[in-house]
Amino acid sequence: MRRWIGLLFLLALASAQVVREGWVRFSPGPNAAAYLTLENPGDLPLRLVGARTPVAERVELHETYVREVEGKKVMGMRPVAFLEVPPKGRVELKPGGYHFMLLGLKRPLKAGEKVELDLLFADGKVLKVVLPVEAR
């Protein structure tokens, strides 16, 4: 009985959010970026508030922006507190947009390896994903 209750909980959690097309950008340096598409097949909005991984000291949710400085376009990025995924909607974390920054890598990442990432939601749920490291 206990096994079935645990399985039902996992199924309920899995049906609340779906991750597609995830990857981590190869980085020999101290930081890396992670991208994915988060889908919400449910009837209520989801609020993604962060992530964690064993390969970095911390993970921050960022957005890329463009501003004009002395007549030139300059790209930058800044942290965001959360991302809202609308009911029956999706949010893409992709180069040039929203993304996770894996800060303070504990070791260099190599193309072809896998990175575990726990996605953290405002309601306390955690979605564990494994993303490949790619040299795109």
Side-chain angles (χ1 to χ4, degrees):
M1 179 71 171
R2 196 171 187 183
R3 177 183 271 168
W4 284 105
I5 291 172
L7 180 59
L8 290 174
F9 174 75
L10 288 174
L11 289 173
L13 180 60
S15 68
Q17 54 261 344
V18 177
V19 171
R20 300 194 189 283
E21 305 158 8
W23 61 287
V24 175
R25 186 183 302 272
F26 161 76
S27 174
N31 304 316
Y35 311 100
L36 53 86
T37 298
L38 185 61
E39 296 180 354
N40 178 6
D43 295 324
L44 298 173
L46 291 172
R47 183 171 282 198
L48 178 66
V49 296
R52 63 181 176 233
T53 180
V55 303
E57 291 175 14
R58 70 185 193 281
V59 179
E60 293 181 0
L61 187 55
H62 282 201
E63 70 175 325
T64 302
Y65 65 92
V66 178
R67 64 185 171 132
E68 197 164 311
V69 176
E70 297 178 6
K72 296 182 182 178
K73 291 185 178 182
V74 177
M75 288 185 80
M77 62 180 164
R78 59 183 160 231
V80 295
F82 63 88
L83 285 179
E84 193 87 16
V85 187
K88 309 284 191 247
R90 62 193 265 163
V91 170
E92 291 183 59
L93 284 76
K94 61 185 180 180
Y98 293 111
H99 57 280
F100 286 113
M101 285 302 302
L102 285 57
L103 302 171
L105 292 174
K106 297 177 181 176
R107 59 177 175 71
L109 298 180
K110 298 176 185 157
E113 75 175 290
K114 307 273 190 221
V115 171
E116 294 178 16
L117 190 66
D118 292 344
L119 305 182
L120 311 174
F121 294 88
D123 62 4
K125 291 181 182 169
V126 176
L127 179 63
K128 296 181 178 295
V129 297
V130 178
L131 305 176
V133 176
E134 298 180 5
R136 292 191 191 184

